[in-house]
Amino acid sequence: CIPSGQNVETQWDERQLVTLINGWLQKLDEKTQALFVRRYFFLQPIDELATAFSISQSNVSTQLYRARKNLKEYLSKEGYEL
């Protein structure tokens, strides 16, 4: 058997983080959730997001910044430090 390089604790931490992020995403309003997922999961460029949502690139950047800040606070409250 070839070791995977990950121990049980690392796998547990990763699963916990995924669970926390999914829970946080569920709490977001639909627009913010869509922006966040399309940007950070599907790597869609900001200019494409702006066009798709009929908002400025600056507005997209601001909303994503606020979402990341909110996620960081949420994870901290849940005991997960970055």
Side-chain angles (χ1 to χ4, degrees):
C1 203
I2 299 172
S4 70
Q6 289 188 330
N7 61 29
V8 174
E9 187 174 315
T10 301
Q11 290 176 347
W12 171 258
D13 287 345
E14 288 174 359
R15 285 187 185 153
Q16 182 182 19
L17 180 59
V18 167
T19 300
L20 288 171
I21 291 173
N22 284 333
W24 172 78
L25 282 168
Q26 300 268 331
K27 295 177 183 183
L28 295 178
D29 63 86
E30 194 173 310
K31 182 179 178 181
T32 304
Q33 182 185 63
L35 281 170
F36 192 88
V37 169
R38 288 170 73 168
R39 176 66 177 145
Y40 298 113
F41 288 71
F42 299 119
L43 306 175
Q44 189 170 6
I46 288 177
D47 61 327
E48 288 182 17
L49 290 170
T51 301
F53 288 88
S54 300
I55 57 178
S56 70
Q57 290 183 31
S58 176
N59 193 310
V60 170
S61 295
T62 298
Q63 288 187 43
L64 290 171
Y65 167 77
R66 289 177 182 161
R68 288 191 314 271
K69 183 178 174 186
N70 181 273
L71 174 58
K72 184 176 180 179
E73 291 170 0
Y74 176 80
L75 291 175
S76 180
K77 283 181 187 177
E78 295 295 325
Y80 196 94
E81 292 297 324
L82 299 175

